[in-house]
Amino acid sequence: MIGRFSILVAAAALSASFSLTAYSQARPETLVKQRQGAMALQAKYFYPIRAMAQGKAPYDPNIVARNIGYLDALARMPWDGFTPATRDVKTGATPAVFSEPAKYKEAQDRFQAEVTTLAELARKGGGEPAIKSQIMAVDKSCGSCHDTFRERQ
Amino acid sequence: MIGRFSILVAAAALSASFSLTAYSQARPETLVKQRQGAMALQAKYFYPIRAMAQGKAPYDPNIVARNIGYLDALARMPWDGFTPATRDVKTGATPAVFSEPAKYKEAQDRFQAEVTTLAELARKGGGEPAIKSQIMAVDKSCGSCHDTFRERQ
């Protein structure tokens, strides 16, 4: 007889195996293209607001709000593309991405947390100084992850 | 003497010229990489939910909600990358992208409107049949744009 718990476990396993199937069907080159796409778009929407936070460009609250909304989504997108199957594709990822997954996960989480804080600040109508300061906190988390997990460019 | 209107116009011009500067500073290859990244990510998050809408994969409301949220942002990202400066970069864009900009804009708007409808449906907790049907409406708008504006693959 199948108990309720077994059904739940089976449902979760089915759901997980679907996810795994969905990922494993993607070729390593596709995973790399997608994760590089997410990084390229993070750059597209982050650099202009970082320039504003640094006083190098005039602060435009509309662009800031829009870009932060995009970054909130983009910050979640690259990570499942760093599967072991992509290890041998030539990219800017350092070997540490694959040899130190726990440390890499920690750096991803730190970045995502900083972006989430920025997005919440923007949603709550946080003032320009607070938003600028949090943009620079996001920048720091980009840099500290790149130090270890991206080849020098 | 500078009137209030002139100051407003100057501010708007400054703001517009900043935007233009931000785009024109990006090399054509960078614009292409960014817009292709947005398309690759649309595929990453759309294909799994289309498979669900078609009954080819089990319907997972969590994945559907998450992916629709991502697509709502991604649907807005590629278009400003199709500048005339990118005309000579080898890509899958047809010449019509540059020779028929009004028609291309119309196809973009139709796609974005379908995605917006899908995102609103998901936010309002629309039922599975309605969501599946709107996913297929989005799919149709992808296809009809690709028919004219993307080279056959």
Side-chain angles (χ1 to χ4, degrees), chain A residues 14-15 18-19 22-23 33-35 37-38 40-41 43-45 48 51-52 57-58 60 63 66 69-71 73-74 76-81, chain B residues 14-15 18-19 22-23 33-35 37-38 40-41 43-45 48 51-52 57-58 60 63 66 69-71 73-74 76-81:
Chain A
L14 187 69
S15 157
F18 171 67
S19 302
Y23 290 134
K33 200 172 68 176
Q34 290 165 342
R35 78 188 196 208
L41 290 166
K44 175 179 179 184
Y45 295 108
M52 293 178 195
D60 182 328
I63 292 184
R66 187 202 63 173
Y70 289 173
L71 288 165
L74 291 167
R76 303 162 203 262
M77 295 185 189
W79 318 117
D80 60 8
Chain B
L14 187 68
S15 158
F18 170 68
S19 303
Y23 291 132
K33 199 172 69 176
Q34 290 165 343
R35 77 188 196 208
L41 290 166
K44 175 180 179 183
Y45 295 108
M52 292 178 197
D60 182 328
I63 292 183
R66 186 202 64 175
Y70 289 172
L71 288 165
L74 292 167
R76 303 162 202 263
M77 296 183 189
W79 319 117
D80 60 6

Short mmCIF file of all heavy atoms in Angstrom, two decimals, chain A residues 14-15 18-19 22-23 33-35 37-38 40-41 43-45 48 51-52 57-58 60 63 66 69-71 73-74 76-81, chain B residues 14-15 18-19 22-23 33-35 37-38 40-41 43-45 48 51-52 57-58 60 63 66 69-71 73-74 76-81:
data_model
loop_
_atom_site.label_atom_id
_atom_site.label_comp_id
_atom_site.label_asym_id
_atom_site.label_seq_id
_atom_site.Cartn_x
_atom_site.Cartn_y
_atom_site.Cartn_z
N LEU A 14 9.74 12.87 -9.09
CA LEU A 14 9.30 13.08 -10.46
C LEU A 14 9.64 14.50 -10.90
O LEU A 14 10.22 14.73 -11.96
CB LEU A 14 7.78 12.86 -10.56
CG LEU A 14 7.20 12.87 -11.97
CD1 LEU A 14 7.67 11.63 -12.73
CD2 LEU A 14 5.67 12.89 -11.93
N SER A 15 9.29 15.44 -10.01
CA SER A 15 9.54 16.84 -10.31
C SER A 15 11.04 17.09 -10.46
O SER A 15 11.49 17.74 -11.40
CB SER A 15 8.93 17.69 -9.18
OG SER A 15 9.56 18.93 -9.11
N PHE A 18 12.35 15.51 -13.58
CA PHE A 18 12.01 16.32 -14.75
C PHE A 18 13.02 17.46 -14.91
O PHE A 18 13.54 17.71 -15.99
CB PHE A 18 10.60 16.90 -14.67
CG PHE A 18 10.39 17.89 -15.76
CD1 PHE A 18 10.35 17.48 -17.09
CD2 PHE A 18 10.30 19.25 -15.50
CE1 PHE A 18 10.21 18.39 -18.12
CE2 PHE A 18 10.17 20.16 -16.53
CZ PHE A 18 10.12 19.73 -17.83
N SER A 19 13.32 18.13 -13.77
CA SER A 19 14.28 19.23 -13.83
C SER A 19 15.62 18.74 -14.33
O SER A 19 16.25 19.35 -15.19
CB SER A 19 14.46 19.86 -12.45
OG SER A 19 13.22 20.31 -11.96
N ALA A 22 15.47 18.06 -17.94
CA ALA A 22 15.45 19.31 -18.71
C ALA A 22 16.87 19.86 -18.84
O ALA A 22 17.25 20.35 -19.90
CB ALA A 22 14.55 20.33 -18.03
N TYR A 23 17.64 19.77 -17.76
CA TYR A 23 19.00 20.31 -17.82
C TYR A 23 19.91 19.39 -18.62
O TYR A 23 20.73 19.85 -19.40
CB TYR A 23 19.57 20.51 -16.41
CG TYR A 23 18.88 21.63 -15.70
CD1 TYR A 23 18.46 21.50 -14.39
CD2 TYR A 23 18.64 22.83 -16.36
CE1 TYR A 23 17.81 22.52 -13.75
CE2 TYR A 23 17.99 23.86 -15.73
CZ TYR A 23 17.58 23.71 -14.42
OH TYR A 23 16.94 24.73 -13.79
N LYS A 33 26.23 29.06 -23.38
CA LYS A 33 25.66 30.22 -24.07
C LYS A 33 24.63 30.92 -23.18
O LYS A 33 24.60 32.15 -23.10
CB LYS A 33 25.00 29.75 -25.38
CG LYS A 33 24.80 30.83 -26.39
CD LYS A 33 24.32 30.28 -27.73
CE LYS A 33 22.91 29.73 -27.60
NZ LYS A 33 22.34 29.27 -28.90
N GLN A 34 23.81 30.12 -22.50
CA GLN A 34 22.78 30.70 -21.64
C GLN A 34 23.40 31.42 -20.43
O GLN A 34 23.01 32.53 -20.09
CB GLN A 34 21.83 29.61 -21.15
CG GLN A 34 20.94 29.05 -22.27
CD GLN A 34 20.27 27.74 -21.89
OE1 GLN A 34 20.68 27.06 -20.94
NE2 GLN A 34 19.24 27.38 -22.62
N ARG A 35 24.38 30.78 -19.79
CA ARG A 35 24.93 31.43 -18.59
C ARG A 35 25.74 32.66 -18.97
O ARG A 35 25.74 33.66 -18.26
CB ARG A 35 25.73 30.42 -17.75
CG ARG A 35 27.10 30.11 -18.26
CD ARG A 35 27.78 28.97 -17.50
NE ARG A 35 29.19 28.98 -17.80
CZ ARG A 35 29.98 27.92 -17.78
NH1 ARG A 35 29.51 26.73 -17.44
NH2 ARG A 35 31.27 28.03 -18.06
N GLY A 37 25.05 34.48 -21.51
CA GLY A 37 24.01 35.47 -21.84
C GLY A 37 23.54 36.19 -20.59
O GLY A 37 23.38 37.42 -20.59
N ALA A 38 23.34 35.43 -19.51
CA ALA A 38 22.89 36.05 -18.26
C ALA A 38 23.95 37.01 -17.72
O ALA A 38 23.62 38.11 -17.25
CB ALA A 38 22.58 34.96 -17.22
N ALA A 40 26.26 38.59 -19.55
CA ALA A 40 26.32 39.75 -20.46
C ALA A 40 25.19 40.74 -20.16
O ALA A 40 25.37 41.96 -20.21
CB ALA A 40 26.25 39.28 -21.91
N LEU A 41 24.02 40.19 -19.82
CA LEU A 41 22.88 41.07 -19.52
C LEU A 41 23.02 41.71 -18.15
O LEU A 41 22.59 42.85 -17.94
CB LEU A 41 21.57 40.29 -19.63
CG LEU A 41 21.21 39.90 -21.08
CD1 LEU A 41 20.11 38.85 -21.11
CD2 LEU A 41 20.79 41.13 -21.88
N ALA A 43 25.82 42.69 -17.01
CA ALA A 43 26.71 43.81 -17.32
C ALA A 43 25.93 44.94 -17.99
O ALA A 43 26.09 46.12 -17.63
CB ALA A 43 27.85 43.34 -18.23
N LYS A 44 25.08 44.59 -18.95
CA LYS A 44 24.31 45.61 -19.67
C LYS A 44 23.50 46.48 -18.73
O LYS A 44 23.40 47.69 -18.92
CB LYS A 44 23.37 44.92 -20.68
CG LYS A 44 22.42 45.87 -21.40
CD LYS A 44 21.51 45.14 -22.40
CE LYS A 44 20.57 46.12 -23.09
NZ LYS A 44 19.61 45.45 -24.00
N TYR A 45 22.87 45.85 -17.73
CA TYR A 45 21.98 46.62 -16.85
C TYR A 45 22.65 47.10 -15.57
O TYR A 45 22.12 47.98 -14.90
CB TYR A 45 20.70 45.81 -16.57
CG TYR A 45 19.91 45.61 -17.84
CD1 TYR A 45 19.85 44.37 -18.47
CD2 TYR A 45 19.29 46.71 -18.46
CE1 TYR A 45 19.16 44.22 -19.68
CE2 TYR A 45 18.62 46.56 -19.66
CZ TYR A 45 18.55 45.31 -20.26
OH TYR A 45 17.89 45.18 -21.46
N PRO A 48 25.55 50.74 -16.25
CA PRO A 48 25.02 52.12 -16.26
C PRO A 48 24.62 52.61 -14.86
O PRO A 48 24.84 53.77 -14.53
CB PRO A 48 23.78 52.02 -17.17
CG PRO A 48 24.03 50.83 -18.02
CD PRO A 48 24.80 49.86 -17.17
N ALA A 51 27.72 53.39 -12.83
CA ALA A 51 28.26 54.70 -13.22
C ALA A 51 27.49 55.82 -12.51
O ALA A 51 28.08 56.82 -12.09
CB ALA A 51 28.20 54.87 -14.73
N MET A 52 26.17 55.63 -12.35
CA MET A 52 25.37 56.63 -11.63
C MET A 52 25.73 56.64 -10.14
O MET A 52 25.83 57.70 -9.53
CB MET A 52 23.88 56.31 -11.80
CG MET A 52 23.38 56.49 -13.24
SD MET A 52 21.62 56.04 -13.39
CE MET A 52 21.48 55.91 -15.18
N ALA A 57 27.84 59.35 -14.08
CA ALA A 57 26.73 59.59 -15.01
C ALA A 57 25.59 60.18 -14.18
O ALA A 57 25.48 59.90 -12.98
CB ALA A 57 26.29 58.28 -15.66
N PRO A 58 24.75 61.02 -14.82
CA PRO A 58 23.63 61.61 -14.05
C PRO A 58 22.67 60.53 -13.57
O PRO A 58 22.37 59.58 -14.31
CB PRO A 58 22.95 62.54 -15.07
CG PRO A 58 23.51 62.21 -16.41
CD PRO A 58 24.79 61.46 -16.22
N ASP A 60 19.48 58.68 -12.92
CA ASP A 60 18.15 58.66 -13.54
C ASP A 60 17.31 57.61 -12.82
O ASP A 60 17.48 56.41 -13.03
CB ASP A 60 18.28 58.32 -15.03
CG ASP A 60 16.94 58.32 -15.75
OD1 ASP A 60 15.93 57.97 -15.10
OD2 ASP A 60 16.92 58.67 -16.94
N ILE A 63 15.71 54.77 -14.95
CA ILE A 63 16.64 53.73 -15.42
C ILE A 63 17.08 52.86 -14.23
O ILE A 63 17.16 51.64 -14.33
CB ILE A 63 17.86 54.37 -16.14
CG1 ILE A 63 17.39 55.01 -17.46
CG2 ILE A 63 18.95 53.33 -16.39
CD1 ILE A 63 18.50 55.58 -18.32
N ARG A 66 14.21 50.46 -13.35
CA ARG A 66 14.05 49.43 -14.37
C ARG A 66 15.19 48.42 -14.32
O ARG A 66 14.97 47.21 -14.29
CB ARG A 66 14.01 50.08 -15.77
CG ARG A 66 13.68 49.10 -16.88
CD ARG A 66 14.14 49.59 -18.25
NE ARG A 66 15.60 49.72 -18.31
CZ ARG A 66 16.27 50.00 -19.43
NH1 ARG A 66 15.60 50.24 -20.54
NH2 ARG A 66 17.59 50.09 -19.44
N GLY A 69 15.10 46.05 -11.38
CA GLY A 69 14.09 45.01 -11.59
C GLY A 69 14.62 43.89 -12.49
O GLY A 69 14.44 42.71 -12.20
N TYR A 70 15.29 44.28 -13.57
CA TYR A 70 15.87 43.27 -14.47
C TYR A 70 16.95 42.46 -13.74
O TYR A 70 17.02 41.24 -13.88
CB TYR A 70 16.51 43.95 -15.69
CG TYR A 70 15.55 44.55 -16.68
CD1 TYR A 70 16.03 45.31 -17.75
CD2 TYR A 70 14.17 44.36 -16.60
CE1 TYR A 70 15.17 45.86 -18.69
CE2 TYR A 70 13.31 44.92 -17.54
CZ TYR A 70 13.82 45.67 -18.58
OH TYR A 70 12.98 46.22 -19.51
N LEU A 71 17.81 43.16 -12.99
CA LEU A 71 18.92 42.47 -12.33
C LEU A 71 18.41 41.48 -11.28
O LEU A 71 19.03 40.43 -11.07
CB LEU A 71 19.87 43.50 -11.68
CG LEU A 71 20.70 44.30 -12.69
CD1 LEU A 71 21.32 45.54 -12.03
CD2 LEU A 71 21.81 43.43 -13.30
N ALA A 73 15.95 39.57 -11.54
CA ALA A 73 15.70 38.30 -12.26
C ALA A 73 17.03 37.72 -12.77
O ALA A 73 17.31 36.53 -12.57
CB ALA A 73 14.74 38.53 -13.42
N LEU A 74 17.86 38.54 -13.39
CA LEU A 74 19.10 38.05 -14.02
C LEU A 74 20.07 37.43 -13.01
O LEU A 74 20.82 36.52 -13.35
CB LEU A 74 19.80 39.19 -14.77
CG LEU A 74 19.08 39.71 -16.01
CD1 LEU A 74 19.70 41.04 -16.48
CD2 LEU A 74 19.11 38.69 -17.14
N ARG A 76 19.54 35.47 -10.76
CA ARG A 76 19.21 34.07 -10.45
C ARG A 76 19.50 33.12 -11.60
O ARG A 76 19.36 31.91 -11.46
CB ARG A 76 17.70 33.96 -10.14
CG ARG A 76 17.26 34.86 -9.01
CD ARG A 76 15.74 35.06 -9.03
NE ARG A 76 15.36 36.28 -8.35
CZ ARG A 76 14.93 36.34 -7.08
NH1 ARG A 76 14.80 35.24 -6.40
NH2 ARG A 76 14.63 37.49 -6.53
N MET A 77 19.84 33.65 -12.77
CA MET A 77 19.82 32.82 -13.98
C MET A 77 21.09 32.06 -14.34
O MET A 77 21.00 31.02 -14.99
CB MET A 77 19.40 33.69 -15.18
CG MET A 77 17.98 34.21 -15.06
SD MET A 77 17.50 35.11 -16.57
CE MET A 77 15.94 35.82 -16.02
N PRO A 78 22.29 32.54 -13.99
CA PRO A 78 23.46 31.85 -14.57
C PRO A 78 23.80 30.51 -13.92
O PRO A 78 24.39 29.65 -14.57
CB PRO A 78 24.64 32.82 -14.30
CG PRO A 78 24.03 34.10 -13.85
CD PRO A 78 22.70 33.76 -13.26
N TRP A 79 23.45 30.33 -12.65
CA TRP A 79 24.13 29.33 -11.81
C TRP A 79 23.90 27.89 -12.21
O TRP A 79 24.82 27.07 -12.13
CB TRP A 79 23.80 29.59 -10.34
CG TRP A 79 23.83 31.07 -10.06
CD1 TRP A 79 22.81 31.86 -9.64
CD2 TRP A 79 24.95 31.95 -10.24
NE1 TRP A 79 23.21 33.16 -9.57
CE2 TRP A 79 24.52 33.26 -9.92
CE3 TRP A 79 26.28 31.78 -10.66
CZ2 TRP A 79 25.36 34.37 -10.00
CZ3 TRP A 79 27.11 32.89 -10.73
CH2 TRP A 79 26.65 34.16 -10.41
N ASP A 80 22.68 27.55 -12.66
CA ASP A 80 22.46 26.14 -13.02
C ASP A 80 23.11 25.79 -14.35
O ASP A 80 23.05 24.64 -14.79
CB ASP A 80 20.96 25.79 -12.99
CG ASP A 80 20.14 26.63 -13.96
OD1 ASP A 80 20.74 27.38 -14.77
OD2 ASP A 80 18.90 26.54 -13.93
N GLY A 81 23.75 26.77 -14.97
CA GLY A 81 24.48 26.48 -16.21
C GLY A 81 25.91 26.01 -15.96
O GLY A 81 26.60 25.59 -16.89
N LEU B 14 19.55 66.09 -21.95
CA LEU B 14 20.69 65.51 -21.24
C LEU B 14 20.41 64.04 -20.96
O LEU B 14 21.25 63.17 -21.19
CB LEU B 14 20.88 66.26 -19.91
CG LEU B 14 22.13 65.89 -19.12
CD1 LEU B 14 23.37 66.38 -19.87
CD2 LEU B 14 22.09 66.49 -17.72
N SER B 15 19.21 63.78 -20.46
CA SER B 15 18.83 62.42 -20.12
C SER B 15 18.84 61.54 -21.37
O SER B 15 19.39 60.45 -21.38
CB SER B 15 17.44 62.43 -19.47
OG SER B 15 16.84 61.18 -19.57
N PHE B 18 22.30 60.97 -22.56
CA PHE B 18 22.99 59.98 -21.75
C PHE B 18 22.65 58.57 -22.23
O PHE B 18 23.50 57.73 -22.42
CB PHE B 18 22.67 60.10 -20.26
CG PHE B 18 23.19 58.92 -19.50
CD1 PHE B 18 24.56 58.73 -19.37
CD2 PHE B 18 22.33 57.95 -18.99
CE1 PHE B 18 25.07 57.62 -18.73
CE2 PHE B 18 22.84 56.83 -18.35
CZ PHE B 18 24.21 56.67 -18.21
N SER B 19 21.32 58.36 -22.46
CA SER B 19 20.90 57.04 -22.92
C SER B 19 21.57 56.69 -24.24
O SER B 19 22.07 55.59 -24.42
CB SER B 19 19.38 56.98 -23.11
OG SER B 19 18.74 57.33 -21.90
N ALA B 22 25.11 55.86 -23.70
CA ALA B 22 25.29 54.55 -23.08
C ALA B 22 25.21 53.46 -24.14
O ALA B 22 25.97 52.51 -24.12
CB ALA B 22 24.23 54.32 -22.01
N TYR B 23 24.28 53.62 -25.09
CA TYR B 23 24.16 52.60 -26.12
C TYR B 23 25.27 52.69 -27.14
O TYR B 23 25.81 51.69 -27.58
CB TYR B 23 22.81 52.70 -26.84
CG TYR B 23 21.68 52.31 -25.94
CD1 TYR B 23 20.54 53.08 -25.82
CD2 TYR B 23 21.77 51.14 -25.17
CE1 TYR B 23 19.51 52.70 -24.97
CE2 TYR B 23 20.75 50.76 -24.32
CZ TYR B 23 19.62 51.55 -24.22
OH TYR B 23 18.61 51.18 -23.39
N LYS B 33 26.00 40.28 -28.60
CA LYS B 33 26.15 39.29 -27.53
C LYS B 33 25.02 39.43 -26.51
O LYS B 33 24.44 38.45 -26.05
CB LYS B 33 27.51 39.48 -26.85
CG LYS B 33 27.98 38.28 -26.08
CD LYS B 33 29.41 38.45 -25.59
CE LYS B 33 29.48 39.53 -24.50
NZ LYS B 33 30.84 39.67 -23.92
N GLN B 34 24.69 40.69 -26.19
CA GLN B 34 23.63 40.92 -25.20
C GLN B 34 22.26 40.49 -25.74
O GLN B 34 21.49 39.84 -25.05
CB GLN B 34 23.59 42.41 -24.81
CG GLN B 34 24.79 42.83 -23.98
CD GLN B 34 24.95 44.34 -23.90
OE1 GLN B 34 24.38 45.10 -24.70
NE2 GLN B 34 25.74 44.81 -22.94
N ARG B 35 21.97 40.86 -26.99
CA ARG B 35 20.63 40.52 -27.49
C ARG B 35 20.51 39.02 -27.72
O ARG B 35 19.46 38.43 -27.47
CB ARG B 35 20.29 41.34 -28.75
CG ARG B 35 20.95 40.86 -30.00
CD ARG B 35 20.72 41.81 -31.19
NE ARG B 35 21.05 41.13 -32.42
CZ ARG B 35 21.49 41.71 -33.52
NH1 ARG B 35 21.65 43.03 -33.57
NH2 ARG B 35 21.75 41.01 -34.61
N GLY B 37 22.07 36.86 -25.94
CA GLY B 37 21.94 36.33 -24.58
C GLY B 37 20.49 36.35 -24.13
O GLY B 37 19.99 35.39 -23.55
N ALA B 38 19.80 37.45 -24.42
CA ALA B 38 18.39 37.57 -24.04
C ALA B 38 17.54 36.52 -24.77
O ALA B 38 16.66 35.89 -24.17
CB ALA B 38 17.87 38.98 -24.33
N ALA B 40 18.66 33.60 -25.97
CA ALA B 40 19.03 32.28 -25.44
C ALA B 40 18.32 32.02 -24.11
O ALA B 40 17.89 30.90 -23.82
CB ALA B 40 20.55 32.19 -25.26
N LEU B 41 18.19 33.06 -23.29
CA LEU B 41 17.53 32.90 -21.99
C LEU B 41 16.01 32.78 -22.16
O LEU B 41 15.34 32.08 -21.39
CB LEU B 41 17.90 34.05 -21.06
CG LEU B 41 19.35 34.01 -20.59
CD1 LEU B 41 19.76 35.34 -19.95
CD2 LEU B 41 19.59 32.87 -19.60
N ALA B 43 14.67 31.24 -24.60
CA ALA B 43 14.53 29.81 -24.96
C ALA B 43 14.66 28.94 -23.71
O ALA B 43 13.86 28.03 -23.49
CB ALA B 43 15.59 29.43 -25.99
N LYS B 44 15.66 29.25 -22.87
CA LYS B 44 15.88 28.45 -21.66
C LYS B 44 14.64 28.37 -20.78
O LYS B 44 14.32 27.32 -20.24
CB LYS B 44 17.05 29.04 -20.86
CG LYS B 44 17.29 28.36 -19.52
CD LYS B 44 18.46 28.98 -18.75
CE LYS B 44 18.66 28.29 -17.41
NZ LYS B 44 19.73 28.90 -16.60
N TYR B 45 13.95 29.50 -20.64
CA TYR B 45 12.81 29.53 -19.72
C TYR B 45 11.47 29.32 -20.41
O TYR B 45 10.48 29.02 -19.75
CB TYR B 45 12.83 30.83 -18.89
CG TYR B 45 14.05 30.86 -17.99
CD1 TYR B 45 15.12 31.71 -18.24
CD2 TYR B 45 14.14 29.97 -16.92
CE1 TYR B 45 16.26 31.68 -17.44
CE2 TYR B 45 15.27 29.94 -16.12
CZ TYR B 45 16.32 30.80 -16.38
OH TYR B 45 17.44 30.76 -15.60
N PRO B 48 10.72 24.81 -21.64
CA PRO B 48 10.16 23.86 -20.65
C PRO B 48 8.67 24.11 -20.37
O PRO B 48 7.92 23.16 -20.22
CB PRO B 48 10.99 24.11 -19.39
CG PRO B 48 12.26 24.72 -19.88
CD PRO B 48 11.89 25.53 -21.09
N ALA B 51 6.61 22.91 -23.34
CA ALA B 51 6.46 21.45 -23.29
C ALA B 51 5.33 21.08 -22.31
O ALA B 51 4.56 20.15 -22.56
CB ALA B 51 7.77 20.79 -22.87
N MET B 52 5.23 21.82 -21.21
CA MET B 52 4.14 21.57 -20.25
C MET B 52 2.78 21.93 -20.85
O MET B 52 1.80 21.20 -20.68
CB MET B 52 4.38 22.38 -18.97
CG MET B 52 5.58 21.91 -18.16
SD MET B 52 5.84 22.94 -16.68
CE MET B 52 7.54 22.50 -16.28
N ALA B 57 5.37 17.41 -21.05
CA ALA B 57 6.08 17.33 -19.77
C ALA B 57 5.05 17.58 -18.67
O ALA B 57 4.06 18.29 -18.91
CB ALA B 57 7.19 18.38 -19.72
N PRO B 58 5.27 16.99 -17.48
CA PRO B 58 4.30 17.21 -16.41
C PRO B 58 4.24 18.69 -16.02
O PRO B 58 5.28 19.35 -15.93
CB PRO B 58 4.82 16.34 -15.26
CG PRO B 58 6.20 15.92 -15.63
CD PRO B 58 6.38 16.11 -17.10
N ASP B 60 4.26 21.75 -13.89
CA ASP B 60 4.78 22.10 -12.56
C ASP B 60 4.51 23.59 -12.32
O ASP B 60 5.19 24.46 -12.86
CB ASP B 60 6.29 21.81 -12.52
CG ASP B 60 6.87 22.10 -11.14
OD1 ASP B 60 6.38 23.02 -10.45
OD2 ASP B 60 7.84 21.42 -10.76
N ILE B 63 7.54 25.87 -11.45
CA ILE B 63 8.42 26.20 -12.58
C ILE B 63 7.71 27.18 -13.52
O ILE B 63 8.31 28.15 -14.01
CB ILE B 63 8.87 24.92 -13.32
CG1 ILE B 63 9.80 24.10 -12.41
CG2 ILE B 63 9.57 25.26 -14.64
CD1 ILE B 63 10.37 22.85 -13.05
N ARG B 66 7.77 30.68 -11.95
CA ARG B 66 9.12 31.25 -11.96
C ARG B 66 9.53 31.66 -13.37
O ARG B 66 9.99 32.78 -13.60
CB ARG B 66 10.13 30.23 -11.41
CG ARG B 66 11.53 30.78 -11.25
CD ARG B 66 12.58 29.71 -11.24
NE ARG B 66 12.65 28.97 -12.50
CZ ARG B 66 13.55 28.03 -12.77
NH1 ARG B 66 14.44 27.70 -11.86
NH2 ARG B 66 13.57 27.42 -13.95
N GLY B 69 7.78 34.72 -14.71
CA GLY B 69 8.35 35.93 -14.11
C GLY B 69 9.64 36.34 -14.82
O GLY B 69 9.84 37.52 -15.13
N TYR B 70 10.50 35.38 -15.08
CA TYR B 70 11.75 35.67 -15.79
C TYR B 70 11.46 36.18 -17.21
O TYR B 70 12.08 37.13 -17.69
CB TYR B 70 12.62 34.41 -15.90
CG TYR B 70 13.24 33.93 -14.62
CD1 TYR B 70 13.92 32.71 -14.57
CD2 TYR B 70 13.19 34.68 -13.43
CE1 TYR B 70 14.52 32.25 -13.41
CE2 TYR B 70 13.79 34.22 -12.27
CZ TYR B 70 14.45 33.00 -12.27
OH TYR B 70 15.05 32.54 -11.12
N LEU B 71 10.52 35.51 -17.88
CA LEU B 71 10.22 35.87 -19.28
C LEU B 71 9.65 37.28 -19.37
O LEU B 71 9.90 38.00 -20.35
CB LEU B 71 9.25 34.85 -19.90
CG LEU B 71 9.88 33.48 -20.19
CD1 LEU B 71 8.81 32.43 -20.45
CD2 LEU B 71 10.85 33.56 -21.38
N ALA B 73 10.57 39.80 -17.75
CA ALA B 73 11.72 40.71 -17.84
C ALA B 73 12.48 40.48 -19.16
O ALA B 73 12.78 41.44 -19.88
CB ALA B 73 12.66 40.50 -16.65
N LEU B 74 12.75 39.23 -19.50
CA LEU B 74 13.57 38.93 -20.69
C LEU B 74 12.93 39.42 -21.99
O LEU B 74 13.64 39.76 -22.94
CB LEU B 74 13.81 37.41 -20.78
CG LEU B 74 14.71 36.82 -19.69
CD1 LEU B 74 14.62 35.29 -19.70
CD2 LEU B 74 16.16 37.27 -19.87
N ARG B 76 11.66 42.08 -22.63
CA ARG B 76 11.91 43.50 -22.89
C ARG B 76 13.37 43.78 -23.27
O ARG B 76 13.71 44.91 -23.61
CB ARG B 76 11.61 44.31 -21.61
CG ARG B 76 10.20 44.11 -21.11
CD ARG B 76 10.08 44.56 -19.64
NE ARG B 76 8.94 43.93 -19.00
CZ ARG B 76 7.75 44.49 -18.85
NH1 ARG B 76 7.54 45.73 -19.24
NH2 ARG B 76 6.76 43.83 -18.28
N MET B 77 14.23 42.77 -23.17
CA MET B 77 15.66 43.04 -23.22
C MET B 77 16.34 43.04 -24.59
O MET B 77 17.33 43.74 -24.76
CB MET B 77 16.40 42.06 -22.30
CG MET B 77 16.03 42.24 -20.84
SD MET B 77 17.01 41.14 -19.78
CE MET B 77 16.17 41.38 -18.19
N PRO B 78 15.87 42.27 -25.57
CA PRO B 78 16.71 42.17 -26.78
C PRO B 78 16.69 43.39 -27.69
O PRO B 78 17.65 43.65 -28.41
CB PRO B 78 16.12 40.98 -27.56
CG PRO B 78 15.18 40.31 -26.62
CD PRO B 78 14.74 41.34 -25.64
N TRP B 79 15.57 44.13 -27.69
CA TRP B 79 15.25 45.00 -28.83
C TRP B 79 16.18 46.17 -29.05
O TRP B 79 16.47 46.53 -30.20
CB TRP B 79 13.78 45.43 -28.72
CG TRP B 79 12.94 44.29 -28.28
CD1 TRP B 79 12.21 44.19 -27.12
CD2 TRP B 79 12.79 43.02 -28.94
NE1 TRP B 79 11.62 42.94 -27.03
CE2 TRP B 79 11.95 42.21 -28.13
CE3 TRP B 79 13.28 42.48 -30.12
CZ2 TRP B 79 11.61 40.90 -28.48
CZ3 TRP B 79 12.93 41.18 -30.48
CH2 TRP B 79 12.10 40.42 -29.66
N ASP B 80 16.67 46.79 -27.98
CA ASP B 80 17.55 47.94 -28.19
C ASP B 80 18.95 47.51 -28.66
O ASP B 80 19.80 48.35 -28.92
CB ASP B 80 17.63 48.85 -26.94
CG ASP B 80 18.16 48.13 -25.71
OD1 ASP B 80 18.58 46.96 -25.84
OD2 ASP B 80 18.14 48.73 -24.63
N GLY B 81 19.16 46.20 -28.78
CA GLY B 81 20.43 45.70 -29.31
C GLY B 81 20.44 45.60 -30.83
O GLY B 81 21.49 45.36 -31.44
#
